[in-house]
Amino acid sequence: MMKIRYGTGLLLGGMLALSNVVMADGDSYSRRGKSADVAPVNNTRYAKECGSCHFAYQPGLLPARSWRKLMGNLADHFGDNAELPQEDAAAIADYLVKNAADRSNHRRSVKISDSLSPGQTPIRISQVPYIVSKHDEIPARLITGNPKVKSLTQCQACHSRAEAGLFSEHEINIPGHGPWEDD
């Protein structure tokens, strides 16, 4: 009788553990381990050089192939010349590629990577299917029509902890609108 209870307990415990894996696997991040959002920027050279002109996007927001493409054409960086001394460009490219979405265990980075087809190389975070899908219910008037936001690329406008790599939908505060309530 004791063996039956012990065996039943093990079976139930195993089923619970398996159900947690299956639920997490629905989000597809369990295969690389759980972690929250994307890794924050921890490279002072990148933060200084790139963050002086725009939000210092975390490397985990794009795959390595996208960062290689971006860093390979700094002479035409979205219409601007963003060329850097060779040593700085190489060090920043190395940092971005090594910490890219397809090399990260962070939850949203994994989702970003998983949303891309193998040949897809977005050079803008606003071209990443996962990021587009996370914002598709928000009316354009609150993003592109909002002078304090203007674009999906302005992460920090609505995500108050974007610099820390935190993009929870429960912490969104759209300028001129307030918190975003997902239906």
Side-chain angles (χ1 to χ4, degrees):
M1 187 67 154
M2 188 68 139
K3 285 184 180 179
I4 292 173
R5 284 187 184 163
Y6 181 72
T8 303
L10 281 176
L11 179 63
L12 286 173
M15 291 173 67
L16 284 171
L18 182 61
S19 69
N20 286 337
V21 170
V22 170
M23 288 172 60
D25 199 44
D27 289 335
S28 75
Y29 62 84
S30 64
R31 66 182 162 82
R32 294 189 210 169
K34 286 185 179 181
S35 60
D37 298 333
V38 299
V41 170
N42 63 2
N43 181 292
T44 53
R45 186 181 296 192
Y46 170 68
K48 177 185 168 210
E49 294 294 343
C50 301
S52 66
C53 295
H54 56 72
F55 178 71
Y57 300 103
Q58 289 85 2
L61 294 172
L62 288 173
R65 60 187 178 274
S66 294
W67 289 119
R68 281 190 204 99
K69 188 172 183 178
L70 276 167
M71 293 304 294
N73 190 20
L74 291 177
D76 183 15
H77 189 65
F78 305 107
D80 290 325
N81 185 340
E83 289 181 295
L84 296 168
Q86 179 61 34
E87 182 183 357
D88 290 337
I92 290 171
D94 185 57
Y95 165 69
L96 293 169
V97 168
K98 284 182 178 172
N99 295 283
D102 50 339
R103 297 178 179 189
S104 174
N105 289 330
H106 287 77
R107 185 172 64 100
R108 291 198 197 274
S109 293
V110 171
K111 289 180 178 183
I112 286 168
S113 180
D114 287 351
S115 75
L116 296 165
S117 62
Q120 204 171 6
T121 308
I123 59 169
R124 298 175 185 270
I125 63 165
S126 59
Q127 297 172 329
V128 173
Y130 173 76
I131 293 173
V132 171
S133 74
K134 293 303 288 180
H135 295 83
D136 66 356
E137 292 181 10
I138 302 173
R141 66 182 169 75
L142 297 179
I143 301 174
T144 55
N146 187 334
K148 293 182 178 177
V149 180
K150 299 180 185 172
S151 165
L152 283 182
T153 62
Q154 302 299 318
C155 306
Q156 73 286 8
C158 302
H159 296 276
S160 60
R161 299 197 306 160
E163 281 188 33
L166 300 169
F167 296 92
S168 170
E169 64 186 43
H170 302 295
E171 298 176 339
I172 295 172
N173 190 5
I174 301 172
H177 176 76
W180 176 253
E181 299 293 332
D182 197 13
D183 293 331

